[in-house]
Amino acid sequence: MEYKMSQAACTGRHHLAAGVPCQDKTALCRRENALCAALADGAGSRARSVQGAACVTQCAAELLAERFEDLWALENPALAGELVRTCLRALEDLEPPIRELACTLLFFAAHDDGRFLSGHLGDGVQILVREERSAVFSPPENGAYLNETFFITGEDAVRRLRLRRGRLEGPGALLLMSDGMGEALYQRDTGLPAPACRTIARWLWEGDEDTISRALEANMERVFSKHSGDGLSLAVVAWSPEGEWDLPEG
C-alpha cells in the first residue's frame, strides 16, 4: 500500500480577536513499515491546553508508527489503556496540573500491508472517502451540550476512546478534523460530509504533500474559517494499493 499525508491548522476568528493562540495541533509520523496522523483540539477552558494538544499528538503519532505491530496485537480495551497511559505519562513531564493540558485526540495509523488502527476521543470528525461515496467514519461525541466533550485527561478517557481496526482495500482517504473544521466539512444535521472532502483527498493524492499542506492552511484562513470562529485543523491520509488514484471526482 502506498500512502500520502498532509496536515494544516489555523487560529479561529474568535481566538484571533481575543489574542488566543490556535489550540488545534496535528502531527504526522513515518517509520519503516508504518505511519500515523494524529490531531488534537485543546480544551478552551484550560490554561495550557495548547501545550497539551501538541504533546499528545506527537506522542500518539510516534507511538503508533513505531509500535504498530505491538499495538495491533492487543485487544481493543488493552490498546485503549496503553494509548491513554502513554499520552498521560508524556503530559506528566510538562508543568502540572495535568488537567490544564486537556485535549481531544483523533488518530489514524496504517501499515504497509494495509492494516489500520483508528482512534477517536471527543468532538472531532473522521470522514472516509472511497470510490463509491464519502461517509462519516467516526462522528463527534459531545456531552450533555454541544459545547461539551471528552478529553484525554478525563477519568473516562480509556472507556471513551473509540477504536477501529481493519485492512484497507482499494484507493481511498481518511480526513481527521477538529470540531471547528467540522463546521465547514461535516453537516451535523444530516450527518453527511461536504463535497469538499473528496476534493481535498484528490488534491493530496495528485500533489506534493508539503505543497498540499500549505494549500490547506491557506484555504482554512481564506475560506473555511468563515464557517467557524473556533480553531480549525485537518490531517489527511490517502492510500492506494497500486500507487494510482482512480476515484471519480463526483
Side-chain angles (χ1 to χ4, degrees), residues 9 45 79 87 128 138 145 201-202 217 227 238:
S45 60
L79 173 56
C87 289
L128 177 64
S138 186
Y145 302 96
R202 181 171 289 278
E217 184 173 353
H227 296 270

Side-chain angles (χ1 to χ4, degrees), residues 143-156:
Y145 302 96
L146 283 179
N147 63 347
E148 293 181 355
T149 192
F150 305 98
F151 302 116
I152 195 78
T153 53
E155 294 181 358
D156 57 353

